[in-house]
Amino acid sequence: MASSIPQIKRILFTTDLSKQAGYAFDYAVGLSSQFGAGLTILFVMEDNPQVHAQDFKDFLGEKRWAEVRKSLEEEARQTLIGKKRENDMIRQKLEEMLAAAQGSLQGRSRPEDRMVLAHGDVVDCIVNEAHSQQIDLIVMGYHAKGRLEEAVAGSVSRSVLRRTDIPVLLVRLPEDG
């Protein structure tokens, strides 16, 4: 019984923007070129868990909590200023990656490439993006950290594999750039 290989029209490449991620990016670009597929590059900024204010207020008392809260609010303001700069730098890096992909794929008939900067849980964002954009293949790099890690991919990769029925290509990243 012969079955046909599904067509790959849209590829999602997830990145942590490390130098090593470029190795997996080459696979995504190569596959995009080979299949004439559109390429989406996704970077996720993980949100920090929310602080439970009432627990701290009960523990510290009203006066000390007011001092801590004021300090946290100032820190949050500074962090938001820093995040805006960080977002701009990340967006610039993603744009460079997208330009490199488009440069190497020039002249081929294929869907438009996209760049996505998301905030939230990494696995949720990858799975949601893949399903909402009707992705046909997810390309992810992973770092092997020891013998056990060599046998089993990283936790994000494992979670993505468990939560989607979309094929995933895992590319083991080199130890150094």
Side-chain angles (χ1 to χ4, degrees), residues 50-150:
Q50 294 295 321
V51 174
H52 298 286
Q54 189 59 47
D55 293 339
F56 284 105
K57 188 175 177 181
D58 292 344
F59 179 75
L60 296 173
E62 288 282 336
K63 184 177 179 186
R64 181 70 181 123
W65 171 243
E67 293 169 5
V68 168
R69 192 180 74 217
K70 184 176 180 182
S71 173
L72 288 173
E73 287 171 358
E74 180 56 33
E75 189 177 317
R77 263 197 243 33
Q78 294 304 316
T79 299
L80 287 174
I81 291 168
K83 274 195 176 185
K84 181 169 180 3
R85 279 190 229 124
E86 186 177 305
N87 280 352
D88 290 344
M89 289 188 301
I90 290 167
R91 191 166 299 282
Q92 180 180 352
K93 178 68 175 174
L94 291 173
E95 286 171 358
E96 289 169 9
M97 291 178 77
L98 190 58
Q102 289 169 337
S104 67
L105 301 172
Q106 212 162 15
R108 301 203 185 233
S109 171
R110 43 197 282 287
E112 186 174 317
D113 294 325
R114 298 177 59 242
M115 173 191 72
V116 178
L117 174 58
H119 296 268
D121 177 77
V122 174
V123 175
D124 286 344
C125 289
I126 293 170
V127 171
N128 291 340
E129 183 68 23
H131 287 281
S132 71
Q133 296 302 312
Q134 299 176 335
I135 295 296
D136 301 303
L137 177 66
I138 301 170
V139 178
M140 303 176 67
Y142 77 96
H143 299 276
K145 295 184 175 58
R147 289 180 188 225
L148 180 61
E149 291 286 338
E150 287 177 17

